[in-house]
Amino acid sequence: MSALYDAMVSVIERHITPLAGRVGQQKYIIAIRDGFIAALPFMIIGSFMIVFIFPPFAPDTHWAFARAWLDFSVRYRDQLMLPFNLSMGVMTFFISVGIGASLGKHYKLDPIMTGLLSFMAFLLVAAPYHDKQISVAYFSGQGIFTAIITAIYACETYAFLKRRNVTIRLPKEVPTGVARSFEILIPVVAIVATLHPLNLLVEHFTGMIIPQAIMQLLAPLVSASDSLPAMLLSVLVCQILWFAGIHGALIVTGIMNPFWLANLAQNQSALAAGEPLPHIYLQGFWDHYLLIGGVGSTLPLAFLLLVSQSVHLRTIGRMGIVPSFFNINEPILFGTPVIMNPVMFLPFTLIPMINATFAWTATKLGWVSQVVQLTPWTTPAPIGASWAANWTLSPVVMCLFCMLMSAAMYYPFLKAYERSLLKKQQDELQRDARVALNS
């Protein structure tokens, strides 16, 4: 067992850790992650409107309160949808500006200008004008990948021109704001002169504008992202990276966010149309079934630590229990420790994958409601699970079931680790007693 563990650690240190470090520091991954983080507050508030627009009551309910709420929602549907349409419905606006600003900082460009340049680049290809109207079809989830690509292209173009000194320079006496406005004129011309003709060319030969073509190309990948193998792989990568002390969740969510949001938009559209929801694996599923208390689903472990016979483990449990309710488990991971602890490797890695399998199967069978809302990742798991599924009860039951399963699976490994700590503590006491007796 020791030889196997040493070999595993060697593989992690030699191959996985350097690769994960490079991926985690990759400028585009960081920019995409920052873009989604910047857009998150707007999308959470917009997504929260879903519960007011589509309250969790049966259409034929006779409960007076529920009946009044449903009737109110139907009567004022257009007014209630406005905050949703101007947040989740235009999520690509916030994402493109956020990515552009983040990448602009990396290149030491003005983040406001790069954000606006990225926004304009997205609109050039994703807002076709027909019959005196601008189409908004690609302002929500369907345009996420286009927003990412155009933001990166716009920033790279701006940075390239800046490095080559292809810019308009004004005298130093000109105010800084005015100088920056003129500095970006040539990048704006370059973006318009390249993206707009390209969009027209793609439409001429394929009958699709760029966002349509991108979604057509990525359709198999988007579909594959909402599958049990994809979910298990993403969880496994996250857990192995975290076991090595690398923030795997940042890397995995940075990659998965575009797929999650595209699929969330489709779930919300299906909900509004009264159709079956097409997708299961979304961010709410990841946060509230697979990361209960943080990576490794360690909230149940925190409860077990509270009643440990080891003083050290009980102390860590007291320190970590409250943050774990809000999915912050660094005190547990590094205090126990779980990180690089051979006894805890198997449960830490496998428990989220087992939870994922149970939750996926139950949702696929229709026993658990699917995710239709975006929730803050710090929301306590049972509450967040219900909130994400439009305040239905079945996700709470599923979440509690996963917690009980996690506790049962952590227990034998924790007891084995606890015994080793107690034996070590006993050996130290005996050694100290012998030293005191000899002195």
Side-chain angles (χ1 to χ4, degrees), residues 3 8 61 83 101 104 106 195 337 385 391 410 412-413:
M8 179 194 70
T61 182
H106 174 81
L195 283 184
W391 296 106
Y410 266 122
F413 294 92

Side-chain angles (χ1 to χ4, degrees), residues 42-52 83-84 87-88 264 268 372-375 387-388 390:
F42 306 98
M43 294 190 292
I44 287 175
I45 296 302
S47 186
F48 188 72
M49 289 300 299
I50 287 289
V51 73
F52 295 105
F84 174 83
S87 51
M88 288 296 295
L264 177 64
Q268 291 175 338
V372 293
Q373 294 193 52
L374 195 62
T375 57
W387 178 359
N390 209 21

